[in-house]
């Protein structure tokens, strides 16, 4: 039996999981008692497991999340105005399947970016495509892409991912080119994909920054909202560390 050529053919076809399982079966005498269908089933199961593992590795790399955050570590005990029911629905991820958006607002230091990255990481784990961008740097990237011919390709990438995270929205009033870019992105995604936006500015004041009803209409009307309040998490963490240090002296 030509076992090695079969193994090499599986590898050449990109079926590395099946190739590994094939070699394991070839070396294991215990599998002789299994039927043909059972052995094929083991090969297919191994290939599926290998692909799932690969996706769990590649999804976060492509997403380029700013922070290593996960939803299991979200602090719901510290008062920040997080509605537990709303957050549970966001973690479940069905809103992404419905192409709805999520708006996370509040003062600096409350963990808006961390929450957005945690939801993005959960979406990656659920085998959804995710991409993170800080809004100021995204506009810089789009301006460069417009000059070197990559603009259309970058817009296609931004429009195609299932979850786009736009962090630090509204740090400055958008100029005409930025408004056009943002409208192109949101128009491509409207009704087709989901977007998370974080901002220090309350939603009711976004019109002052975007200067465009068309942009707001594509973001706000079907959005879940997390309005964070309370004390900066950085101050809270610093005070907790100081108390711990004092207790240990």
């Amino acid at each position: 039996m030509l076992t090695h050529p079969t193994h090499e053919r599986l590898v050449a076809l990109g079926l590395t999981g099946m190739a590994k399982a094939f070699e394991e079966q070839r070396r294991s005498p215990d599998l002789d008692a299994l039927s043909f269908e059972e052995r094929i089933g083991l090969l297919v199961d191994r290939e599926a497991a290998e692909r799932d593992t690969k996706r769990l590795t590649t999804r976060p790399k492509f997403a380029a999340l700013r922070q290593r955050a996960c939803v299991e570590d979200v602090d719901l005990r510290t008062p920040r105005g997080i509605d537990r029911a709303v957050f549970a629905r966001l973690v479940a991820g069905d809103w992404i399947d419905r192409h709805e958006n999520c708006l996370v607002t509040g003062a600096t230091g409350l963990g808006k970016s961390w929450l957005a990255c945690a939801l993005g990481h959960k979406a990656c784990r659920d085998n959804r495509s995710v991409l993170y961008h800080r809004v100021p740097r995204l506009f810089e990237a789009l301006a460069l892409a417009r000059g070197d011919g990559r603009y259309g390709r970058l817009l296609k990438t931004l429009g195609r991912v299932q979850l786009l995270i736009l962090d630090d929205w509204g740090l400055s009033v958008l100029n005409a080119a930025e408004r056009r870019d943002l409208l192109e992105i949101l128009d491509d995604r409207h009704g087709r994909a989901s977007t998370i936006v974080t901002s220090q500015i309350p939603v009711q004041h976004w019109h002052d920054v975007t200067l465009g009803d068309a942009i707001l209409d594509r973001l706000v009307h079907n959005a879940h909202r997390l309005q964070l309040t309370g004390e900066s998490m950085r101050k809270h963490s610093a005070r907790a560390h100081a108390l711990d240090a004092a207790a240990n002296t």
Side-chain angles (χ1 to χ4, degrees), residues 63 95-96 101-102 129-133 138 157-167 182 185-186 189 193-197 219:
W95 60 285
I96 301 176
N101 300 321
C102 176
S129 57
V130 180
L131 188 59
Y132 170 94
H133 277 286
L138 174 59
T157 299
L158 294 168
R160 190 164 47 190
V161 292
Q162 291 170 278
L163 179 62
L164 176 65
I165 300 174
L166 298 177
D167 196 12
L182 188 58
I185 294 168
L186 297 179
R189 299 182 59 76
S194 296
T195 305
I196 294 179
V197 177
L219 267 180

Side-chain angles (χ1 to χ4, degrees), residues 221-247:
H221 83 279
N222 69 344
H224 303 267
R225 301 192 188 188
L226 289 176
Q227 174 67 53
L228 305 187
T229 58
E231 185 181 45
S232 167
M233 293 298 288
R234 297 187 185 96
K235 291 181 180 179
H236 178 80
S237 178
R239 184 165 59 249
H241 285 310
L243 291 173
D244 289 341

Side-chain angles (χ1 to χ4, degrees), residues 48-68:
E50 288 278 331
R51 294 191 180 199
D52 287 343
T53 300
K54 184 177 181 180
R55 279 193 291 265
L56 286 175
T57 302
T58 57
R59 292 287 195 199
K61 285 183 179 179
F62 177 79
L65 299 171
R66 181 181 182 182
Q67 302 189 49
R68 299 181 64 180

Side-chain angles (χ1 to χ4, degrees), residues 67-112:
Q67 302 189 49
R68 299 181 64 180
C70 61
V71 293
E72 290 81 4
D73 293 334
V74 172
D75 182 1
L76 296 175
R77 294 172 298 177
T78 301
R80 281 188 291 169
I82 299 177
D83 187 301
R84 289 174 181 259
V86 171
F87 187 71
R89 290 197 297 271
L90 292 173
V91 171
D94 294 344
W95 60 285
I96 301 176
D97 297 329
R98 296 191 297 269
H99 313 310
E100 297 168 353
N101 300 321
C102 176
L103 314 179
V104 186
T105 57
T108 185
L110 289 177
K112 300 182 297 297

Side-chain angles (χ1 to χ4, degrees), residues 132-207:
Y132 170 94
H133 277 286
R134 286 192 67 246
V135 172
R137 292 184 180 177
L138 174 59
F139 288 139
E140 292 175 2
L142 287 165
L144 290 173
R146 188 182 292 107
D148 62 19
R150 294 181 297 107
Y151 184 74
R153 188 163 66 249
L154 179 53
L155 283 181
K156 185 176 181 180
T157 299
L158 294 168
R160 190 164 47 190
V161 292
Q162 291 170 278
L163 179 62
L164 176 65
I165 300 174
L166 298 177
D167 196 12
D168 286 338
W169 161 283
L171 294 181
S172 61
V173 176
L174 303 183
N175 60 38
E178 291 169 344
R179 288 198 301 273
R180 287 194 299 271
D181 288 341
L182 188 58
L183 183 57
E184 286 286 341
I185 294 168
L186 297 179
D187 192 54
D188 284 346
R189 299 182 59 76
H190 183 60
R192 302 181 184 90
S194 296
T195 305
I196 294 179
V197 177
T198 76
S199 178
Q200 298 179 27
I201 301 173
V203 175
Q204 59 267 29
H205 298 309
W206 280 12
H207 193 280

